[in-house]
Amino acid sequence: MEKITSRENAKVKYACRLASSGAFRRAEGRFLAEGRKLCPELCRGAELETLFCTESALEKCPELSELPGEHYLVEDHVADKLADVGTHQGVFGVFRTPVHTLEEVKTGGRYLALERVQDPGNVGTLLRSAAAFGFDGVLLSDGCASVFAPKTLRASMGAAVRIPVIEAGKMPEAIALLREKGITCLAAALYQSQPLSAAASGCPDGVCVVIGSEGQGLTDETIAACTGTVRIPMTDRVESLNAGIAGSILLWHFREESL
């Protein structure tokens, strides 16, 4: 296995740029992930092109040598440059980004739609919940946190490649396409909404749960485009739930019937 000793190595600099720039990730169709558990997990849904490992990481997890792609040993100071956080596990992978489109949306499916959800932790949590509860895909509007940024990848625990993620652009237009396919689109909002307990969990032609940003919620245009609105009943002890928790509750309500 070739060893990289310089922080200025071209492959290392390329990987670092993937981690730091969403525009570069989109242009290259690749992303960087880190972690002894996360990198093998991502191989289940994305193509691993390059794996960087420290000697100590490879000693702890010799099975890493069985992963696909080109493999490089890196010295600790090189791994420090690749790392997104101060404490790391010495394992990094460059993957091809899976590409999915709105044409894949199917009548009868279950979907999650996020509009301008900017917190990477919330986006990652919702991807993980959508995968756990049997949803068929996740739609992201412009302005959402990047699914393949390091923080989002860590929060999703590999769900980012186990469930189709669709960059949908403007959410009202995406909702209109789903409704043309008979899918019931329910906005999470307070105004003129029905409690979640009154919303039928079984929608034979499919359902899409639509969740807005942490601070402002959904836009008026997106709410108007939806079939209806739902809210989570709560006591007055708290004003609201964050997007990750509220969305996960909604996803559980509309989970795959066999779960």
Side-chain angles (χ1 to χ4, degrees), residues 43-58:
C43 288
R44 297 169 58 184
E47 179 186 348
L48 175 61
E49 289 190 336
T50 309
L51 184 72
F52 303 97
C53 292
T54 61
E55 289 187 12
S56 60
L58 202 56

Side-chain angles (χ1 to χ4, degrees), residues 12 15 23 29-30 42 75 83 98 119 136 141 153 156 185 228 247 253 259:
V12 171
R30 291 168 176 80
L42 290 170
E75 293 192 344
D119 182 85
D136 296 291
S141 79
L153 283 170
S156 76
C185 298
H253 180 82
L259 295 178

Side-chain angles (χ1 to χ4, degrees), residues 110-114 123 126-127 129-130 135-140 163 171 178 207-211 247 251:
R110 288 179 173 81
Y111 297 92
L112 167 66
L114 304 180
V123 172
L126 288 167
L127 288 172
S129 294
F135 275 63
D136 296 291
V138 178
L139 283 64
L140 301 182
I163 185 170
M171 190 53 67
L178 266 64
V207 65
C208 179
V209 177
V210 190
I211 297 168
L251 291 170

Side-chain angles (χ1 to χ4, degrees), residues 25-180:
R25 284 193 295 273
R26 286 190 294 273
E28 293 294 303
R30 291 168 176 80
F31 64 92
L32 178 72
E34 62 178 88
R36 288 197 299 265
K37 184 177 180 180
L38 181 58
C39 285
E41 188 70 24
L42 290 170
C43 288
R44 297 169 58 184
E47 179 186 348
L48 175 61
E49 289 190 336
T50 309
L51 184 72
F52 303 97
C53 292
T54 61
E55 289 187 12
S56 60
L58 202 56
E59 289 174 1
K60 291 177 182 177
C61 300
E63 62 272 17
L64 290 169
S65 63
E66 300 174 6
L67 294 178
E70 296 181 335
H71 290 199
Y72 296 91
L73 281 176
V74 294
E75 293 192 344
D76 289 342
H77 71 282
V78 178
D80 291 341
K81 180 171 182 177
L82 287 165
D84 180 59
V85 291
T87 303
H88 58 80
Q89 299 176 332
V91 181
F92 312 87
V94 173
F95 293 82
R96 281 190 175 273
T97 306
V99 178
H100 299 280
T101 67
L102 283 168
E103 283 69 29
E104 298 176 41
V105 172
K106 59 184 180 182
T107 300
R110 288 179 173 81
Y111 297 92
L112 167 66
L114 304 180
E115 184 178 45
R116 302 181 304 175
V117 178
Q118 299 174 338
D119 182 85
N122 282 335
V123 172
T125 295
L126 288 167
L127 288 172
R128 192 175 179 186
S129 294
F133 298 136
F135 275 63
D136 296 291
V138 178
L139 283 64
L140 301 182
S141 79
D142 296 330
C144 282
S146 172
V147 171
F148 297 103
K151 291 180 180 178
T152 316
L153 283 170
R154 285 196 299 273
S156 76
M157 294 295 292
V161 301
R162 290 200 300 271
I163 185 170
V165 177
I166 301 167
E167 293 188 359
K170 295 181 180 179
M171 190 53 67
E173 296 175 3
I175 294 299
L177 187 148
L178 266 64
R179 292 192 64 183
E180 287 178 4

